[in-house]
Amino acid sequence: MPREPLRERKLPGGIPLRALIPNAVTVLALCFGLTGVRFGIAGEWEKAVGAIIVAAVLDGVDGRIARLLKGDSRFGAELDSLSDVTAFGVAPALIVYLWSLQYLPGIGWVIALSHAVTCALRLARFNAQIDSADQPHKRAGYLTGVPAPVAAGLTLSPLFLTFWLEPALLDDMRVRYTLVSVMVLSTAFLMASSLPTYGWGAVRLRRSQRLPALAGIGLFAGALFSAPWMTLTLVSVAYAVSVPFAVRSYARLKRREAAAGLAAPS
C-alpha cells in the first residue's frame, strides 16, 4: 500500500519574538517613569530623577533596537508615544510639583499641568504627521520643538543644580518655585512650538573631527559617571543655549535652498 506524501506543516501565525523585545524596552521606560513618581512621593528626589534618566536612556535605544531587529511596527510607535507622555510628561510634572510647585499658591498645579499637557500635544502632533511627506524640519535633519525626553531634563534641571551645588538660595521656597516655574513654562513653550531644534541628522562632522568627537564622547561618559549632576546641569544649559543657534542655522539653510532654486535653470 503506497504511503501518502507528507504534507507540509504550517507554522501557527503569531508575533515574532524580535517584535516584542523593543516593545518590552518601551514598557520598561514607562515603568521607570512611574517609579520616579513613587520616589518623588517618598521624598527621595535623587532616586526620582535617576528613574527618569533611566527611562530616557531606554527610550533612546528602543527605536534603534526595533530597527536593528526589524521589529518596528505601528503598534510600537503608538506604545512609545504613550510611554513618553507618562515618563516624560506626567512624571516630571508630578516630581517638580511635589518638590516645589505645591508651595506656590493658586497656580502651582496649573504650571505643573502645562508640562504634561504640552508633552501630550507635542506627541499627538508627531503621530499625526508621522506619515506626512511635508515635514521640512525632518527633511533637513532638524526636529520640530524640543523632544519629550530632553524637555523632561530641562524641567528637572533645577533639581540637577540642587544635587550638584546644594545652593542655600534654593532652600528659600519662594526662590525655588520661581525658578521651577520659569523652567517649566519655558520648556512647555519649546515643546509646543514649531521652532526647529537640532537632531542627529542635522549634525555633520568633517573627517578631521572624527577622533576629537570620539574623545569627547568618552570624556562625556566619564563625566556622567563621576559627576552626574554637574554633567547633566551643564548639558541642560548647553541645550537651552543651542536652540537659538538651531533656529538661525535652519533659517540659513532655507535661504541657501531658496537661492539655489532661483538660480536653477527653468
Side-chain angles (χ1 to χ4, degrees):
M1 184 176 180
R3 298 176 60 183
E4 294 182 1
L6 294 175
R7 295 182 180 179
E8 183 179 354
R9 295 179 60 187
K10 294 184 179 180
L11 295 175
I15 302 174
L17 182 61
R18 67 173 184 273
L20 292 180
I21 293 175
N23 294 341
V25 175
T26 303
V27 171
L28 281 176
L30 169 63
C31 292
F32 271 101
L34 290 175
T35 302
V37 176
R38 182 258 182 191
F39 283 129
I41 293 171
E44 300 178 76
W45 304 115
E46 291 196 22
K47 291 182 180 179
V49 175
I52 302 299
I53 293 170
V54 174
V57 172
L58 293 172
D59 179 75
V61 301
D62 61 355
R64 288 164 178 79
I65 292 174
R67 289 189 289 272
L68 180 65
L69 298 178
K70 297 181 180 180
D72 47 344
S73 63
R74 191 57 184 259
F75 172 83
E78 296 294 339
L79 178 62
D80 185 70
S81 292
L82 292 173
S83 173
D84 286 358
V85 169
T86 304
F88 309 124
V90 176
L94 289 174
I95 289 171
V96 295
Y97 176 77
L98 294 169
W99 188 65
S100 64
L101 291 177
Q102 64 173 319
Y103 303 104
L104 178 58
I107 61 170
W109 178 240
V110 177
I111 293 174
L113 282 177
S114 69
H115 177 90
V117 170
T118 52
C119 183
L121 292 174
R122 171 188 165 74
L123 291 164
R125 179 179 63 187
F126 176 82
N127 286 348
Q129 296 177 346
I130 197 168
D131 295 323
S132 174
D134 185 19
Q135 298 187 59
H137 291 169
K138 183 178 179 180
R139 188 169 60 249
Y142 291 78
L143 303 175
T144 301
V146 174
V150 176
L154 293 175
T155 290
L156 295 172
S157 59
L159 284 89
F160 301 161
L161 180 64
T162 302
F163 302 153
W164 172 28
L165 297 177
E166 299 180 358
L169 187 62
L170 289 182
D171 291 337
D172 185 339
M173 196 55 65
R174 288 174 296 182
V175 176
R176 182 185 294 185
Y177 63 57
T178 300
L179 175 61
V180 170
S181 298
V182 171
M183 289 303 304
V184 171
L185 292 174
S186 301
T187 303
F189 166 76
L190 290 173
M191 270 197 292
S193 74
S194 297
L195 295 175
T197 57
Y198 286 122
W200 292 115
V203 180
R204 294 288 187 272
L205 294 177
R206 299 185 181 93
R207 290 185 178 275
S208 61
Q209 296 173 330
R210 181 183 301 174
L211 291 180
L214 292 173
I217 292 171
L219 292 174
F220 171 76
L224 190 61
F225 280 101
S226 60
W229 305 125
M230 178 194 73
T231 305
L232 290 171
T233 301
L234 296 178
V235 167
S236 299
V237 172
Y239 186 88
V241 171
S242 77
V243 172
F245 287 96
V247 174
R248 188 178 67 174
S249 174
Y250 181 76
R252 189 185 303 120
L253 176 65
K254 296 303 290 182
R255 286 195 298 269
R256 285 202 300 266
E257 289 181 350
L262 291 174
S266 58

